[in-house]
Amino acid sequence: MLSDVNLLGPELVLLVVGAFLLIADLFLKDRRLLMGIAAAALLGSILYSAILLTEGHMGSQGFGGVLVVDKFAVFFQILLAGAALAAVLVSTETLQRTPSRRGEYLALILFSTAGLQLLAGSRDLIMIFIALELTSISQYILVGFHKDRWSSEGGLKYLLTGAIASAVLLYGMVILLGLTGSTNLSEIAQYIAWQGEGKEEALILAATFLIAGFGFKAAVAPFQMWAPDAYTGAPTPIAAYLSVASKAAAFAILIRVFFEAFSDDLLADHWKTIFAVLATISMFVGNFFAIRQNNIKRMLAYSSVAQAGTLLIGLAAISADRSELLGASGILFYLAGYTVTNLAAFTVIVLVANQNGGSYDLKSYRGLGTRSPWLAIVLAFALISLIGLPPTAVFFGKIYLFETAVQSGLTWLAVVGAANTLISAAYYLRPVKAMFIDDAETEASDEVMVRPANSVIATMGLVTAGVLVIGLHPGLLINAAEAAVAAIFS
Amino acid sequence: MDPGFPVLSLLIFLPLLGVVLIALLPGKHTPTDWLVQNAPGNAVDYPKWIALGIALATLIISLVMFILFDRSAAGFQFVDEFDWISAEAVGFNVKYAFGVDGLSMPLVFLTAILSVVAVLVSWRVNLRTKEYFAWLLVLETSVLGVFTSLDLIMFFLFWELELVPMFLLISIWGSGNRNYSALKFVLYTVFGSAFMLVGFLALGVAADTFDIREIRHDAVAAAFLPAPAIFAFIMIAFAIKLPVVPVHTWLPDAHTDAPTAVSVLLAGVLLKMGGYGILRLLFTLMPDVGADADLALAIIGVVSIVYGAIVTIRQTDLKRLIAYSSVSHMGFVLLGVSALGVTGLSGAAMQLVTHGLITGMLFVMVGLVYDRTHTRQISDMSGLAHHIPLLGIGMVFAGLAGLGLPALAGFVAEITIFLGAFESQTAAVSVALTGVLLAAAYILWALQRTFFGPKDDNWAHLPDANHWSEFTIIAGLMALIVLLGVYPSVVMDLLEMGVEPIVESIETVVSAGAGGG
């Protein structure tokens, strides 16, 4: 039993420190100290995952097969804790605005991260549901954290649509339980292999419900309605966190469920169709709506919908041809590249909003290239990465995912994806144009330049370096992603 | 030729080093800095001297390579490679591989020359000079990378890398409707490269490698996509870049609104990436499909030649006129390719080189004239040769070269293409000949209306060419155009060497097809 607890280490660190922060808030008033504790907890979690990896715990199952610690789970644990760390470190402004609720804010980020990490290691439907609720409820509060009009609206929308998504997910799980008599992924897989014949319709119905539930978290169209409002209303670091961490964990569990439980040949063709259609819808919906946005957070919300569509290409590809690891490792690679890229973009957005009194309008980016050249260069670099131009992380992510599509015979999907790159260039270049080409409306001189906190600068430097390093030397991350997916597909 | 050290990597990344230097060294308005105080001219001068130094250094390196290039050895020389991404388990391997052969060597040299020209012609730019020269150098790196990459993914990487500098160069330093033109350029190119990427991936997956030297056309047959579809996908990108009718409409806009240096590079080397890609990738990797497509290519080529020339005649803006003439001239490339023989292909390759020099020079001259007159409307100008005779000489020279006057470079390329294509594409060549006639018409008519004709005293105050940078460009380009006109084999031999393997593989598949069927 103790060894089981050991396997839960990365999450436990976060939960315990999170609980401590809730209380510590009463007597610790120093913002830096509280942030430091939260950051230390996340670093501790990353370290714990690394220790589990090196000490040979890979593949161990805990708590009666409910949880597993494999390279796949560890990959995501580290990615998620890293994303949360970045979100914490850029939250200085948010914490200054809400002096009385600092502990709460940080604790909720830790709880939410623990929930997402659990999701990546879950092998049981009940565990999946609990993990998802742990993270969702924390996120509902975080989105509405500022309690102003937009924040509350975003939080409430997220809560209401999220409740429906949870209900739908639960229906799917209940149908699955009724059919197979088990909530364990491997037992479900066994049932489908032995007795699944003739029950395809019911299985597909259940799986569709699951896709809807997970797709909600990943902001896949048509389950994306919450994203624009939640991103706009949420404190910007939380928007950054939602856009990368939720998406990553949702894709982790999609890969796990569909290729541990539903990987039978009986059904694979249906998944291919479903994922390919969803990918197409997401890419087009996300990109077309993003073109019209003048608020950069809203634009990135729709962009994240489109990016979820691109990631689904990988899922469609593995469904089409499960002998290849390429699709799944492509998703992991792309997720990691997208995570650092989006975090870089959002860090700049946080800093720009701090400078100009909280404006996210594209107009406020005019002339940024002369006012703050470094911020403008980082944001431009992140946007270029999001388009998928070299030498950046997403450039290789796209090539990698499109190759999986071509390799598994879904060339049309690669064409759709590539065509969407074109549409996305039209809006990702708008802030670049505003920063470097349009003249500033207001003179730079009458703005008081606030010196950004060191933690924000450091985060910006790290994630930007991440985008560049992955773009120049993708081999390392590709190998890590391969090793991670080998844990599931072996 | 194995130099023993990575000379090609040095060549390609030297401009990026220049970018770092420009970024790190102080720009303008730092008079306290002794470096700047002691720099030639004033503080604003700094970036352009770095850019010139770097561009000259790349020119010297490429000149040395051009001289050392072994003209007796087939295949790629100066090869510089290592495994960049090797994900064996999933079959995703990308090589960092550069090399030049007879086909790419002259184009690399051309790029280096025109980069120097581009820096010199920008000597009077004084808006945000640090960024301007930095982006020019990034552009040089990306073009050099395209011409030397031996891996499809690397090729694609450099192909895409060129978009960012072009977008910013046109939209910040351009004129007229520059934002529209810049975005149009980017969207057209991204549209093409989206299809190109899918084509590359299909090729790579089928052949299990992205290395251009290792992909064999019989492997392509095993792809998920039929080979003609892959060919068409990749062709879309090259056709847009070249450009051919009807996907040429980005070109006049981009050219007209771009600053002079960018027009020079755009016409001189960026368009050549399309023609180079057709020869290097499409015909080398898929000679069988290429051989089947000869008639289609000839027709597209002839339509571009004639339609482009007719539209050119109607232009009222001098720069737009030159831009449209590029559409017509690039049609000759397709016509030469469609001949499928050594003569035709090397003529097409020669056209890439000569058009780069000639149209590069035409854009320089138009740019210099515009700097003085501040108008490009042909109807506003008259009798300019009276007031600016030196620029007049340069313009007339470039114009005559452009219309294919014998003893100048353009003639060699066009006559070779006609000779090569006459036998197999007689009808197409006959129609294309009208293009030559029309070229004489639009160039001579334009010259007559602007530089000759009645003397207009409004222009009496115009200063003639008076700066050393202007003399250098004009004299240098004139010398090169004459050299290639009277002694073409200095480049032609290399190009023939480069296209021979392509022609061999075409002949092999054609005879195999004839034998089998």
Side-chain angles (χ1 to χ4, degrees), chain A residues 305-331:
Chain A
V305 174
Q307 302 281 358
T310 313
L311 283 158
L312 280 173
I313 291 178
L315 275 175
I318 6 176
S319 311
D321 183 0
R322 275 158 303 115
S323 63
E324 299 289 347
L325 295 176
L326 196 57
S329 61
I331 296 176

Side-chain angles (χ1 to χ4, degrees), chain A residues 50-384:
Chain A
I51 291 173
L52 287 178
L53 182 70
T54 50
E55 285 199 343
H57 287 285
M58 291 304 99
S60 323
Q61 301 199 359
F63 303 100
V66 165
L67 267 182
V68 63
V69 176
D70 51 14
K71 283 184 177 164
F72 183 81
V74 168
F75 180 94
F76 278 99
Q77 282 169 354
I78 293 177
L79 182 69
L80 293 166
L85 183 62
V88 166
L89 289 179
V90 299
S91 293
T92 45
E93 166 77 7
T94 312
L95 292 176
Q96 273 163 2
R97 266 177 73 181
T98 50
S100 60
R101 295 183 289 144
R102 285 169 182 162
E104 193 178 316
Y105 176 87
L106 295 167
L108 284 169
I109 293 184
L110 297 190
F111 290 152
S112 163
T113 309
L116 293 174
Q117 286 186 334
L118 279 174
L119 202 55
S122 301
R123 294 195 72 250
D124 187 284
L125 294 181
I126 294 174
M127 189 64 226
I128 292 172
F129 189 75
I130 294 172
L132 208 59
E133 286 304 292
L134 173 60
T135 188
S136 297
I137 293 168
S138 318
Q139 288 177 356
Y140 300 146
I141 310 172
L142 282 171
V143 169
F145 195 73
H146 276 326
K147 294 189 183 168
D148 58 16
R149 193 188 148 212
W150 296 112
S151 190
S152 307
E153 183 186 331
L156 190 65
K157 269 194 183 158
Y158 191 22
L159 169 69
L160 291 177
T161 47
I164 298 170
S166 295
V168 169
L169 183 71
L170 213 48
Y171 284 137
M173 288 177 169
V174 168
I175 297 173
L176 211 52
L177 175 64
L179 273 175
T180 65
S182 172
T183 56
N184 183 291
L185 294 187
S186 7
E187 285 170 22
I188 294 174
Q190 275 175 11
Y191 173 86
I192 295 174
W194 293 341
Q195 304 163 55
E197 203 104 21
K199 291 173 185 145
E200 289 94 342
E201 284 87 354
L203 284 168
I204 291 168
L205 183 71
T208 312
F209 281 166
L210 294 190
I211 293 175
F214 299 140
F216 173 82
K217 271 270 161 269
V220 168
F223 319 111
Q224 90 295 0
M225 300 81 72
W226 60 275
D229 290 308
Y231 279 40
T232 321
T236 314
I238 297 305
Y241 177 73
L242 286 182
S243 72
V244 294
S246 280
K247 197 180 303 301
F251 273 94
I253 197 61
L254 271 172
I255 295 175
R256 173 101 56 198
V257 168
F258 275 83
F259 300 99
E260 285 204 351
F262 298 144
S263 69
D264 201 84
D265 287 335
L266 193 63
L267 303 163
D269 235 25
H270 297 289
W271 308 152
K272 183 185 84 181
T273 315
I274 292 176
F275 286 131
V277 168
L278 284 179
T280 312
I281 297 177
S282 270
M283 286 189 282
F284 278 116
V285 166
N287 281 328
F288 273 120
F289 279 92
I291 294 177
R292 308 274 324 238
Q293 304 306 322
N294 288 320
N295 178 314
I296 195 161
K297 276 164 89 176
R298 258 187 122 71
M299 177 192 282
L300 285 180
Y302 282 110
S303 123
S304 100
V305 174
Q307 302 281 358
T310 313
L311 283 158
L312 280 173
I313 291 178
L315 275 175
I318 6 176
S319 311
D321 183 0
R322 275 158 303 115
S323 63
E324 299 289 347
L325 295 176
L326 196 57
S329 61
I331 296 176
L332 268 58
F333 179 83
Y334 194 99
L335 272 172
Y338 171 72
T339 300
V340 284
T341 305
N342 229 27
L343 286 173
F346 269 107
T347 310
V348 177
I349 293 171
V350 168
L351 286 174
V352 171
N354 292 356
Q355 303 281 8
N356 66 15
S359 167
Y360 299 102
D361 199 293
L362 276 184
K363 279 187 193 131
S364 58
Y365 286 80
R366 285 192 186 159
L368 190 70
T370 26
R371 268 179 290 149
S372 320
W374 284 108
L375 290 188
I377 288 171
V378 170
L379 182 56
F381 187 61
L383 292 168
I384 283 167

Side-chain angles (χ1 to χ4, degrees), chain B residues 81-162:
Chain B
E81 63 179 325
F82 59 85
D83 287 340
W84 186 23
I85 306 170
S86 43
E88 293 294 340
V90 294
F92 184 75
N93 301 303
V94 178
K95 269 186 199 155
Y96 172 99
F98 295 116
V100 285
D101 68 351
L103 180 59
S104 45
M105 187 67 243
L107 290 168
V108 167
F109 191 45
L110 176 74
T111 308
I113 293 172
L114 288 179
S115 298
V116 175
V117 171
V119 172
L120 284 178
V121 84
S122 312
W123 214 246
R124 291 202 169 98
V125 168
N126 52 14
L127 173 70
R128 295 158 78 173
T129 46
K130 264 181 100 157
E131 295 163 67
Y132 177 83
F133 287 101
W135 287 122
L136 270 189
L137 291 177
V138 174
L139 195 57
E140 183 179 7
T141 288
S142 66
V143 177
L144 287 173
V146 167
F147 286 143
T148 52
S149 291
L150 297 183
D151 185 285
L152 290 177
I153 301 294
M154 291 290 286
F155 182 96
F156 182 72
L157 191 156
F158 284 105
W159 183 277
E160 295 281 272
L161 188 63
E162 150 254 349

Side-chain angles (χ1 to χ4, degrees), chain B residues 18-49:
Chain B
V19 173
V20 175
L21 281 179
I22 291 177
L24 293 183
L25 285 169
K28 43 190 172 179
H29 307 313
T30 44
T32 48
D33 192 305
W34 71 270
L35 264 176
V36 175
Q37 275 176 338
N38 294 309
N42 54 27
V44 184
D45 269 336
Y46 224 63
K48 68 186 179 197
W49 284 102

Side-chain angles (χ1 to χ4, degrees), chain B residues 293-316:
Chain B
D294 59 341
L295 187 62
L297 292 178
I299 291 173
I300 299 174
V302 168
V303 169
S304 293
I305 293 171
V306 176
Y307 176 83
I310 294 173
V311 177
T312 309
I313 294 187
R314 304 268 306 137
Q315 297 308 310
T316 55

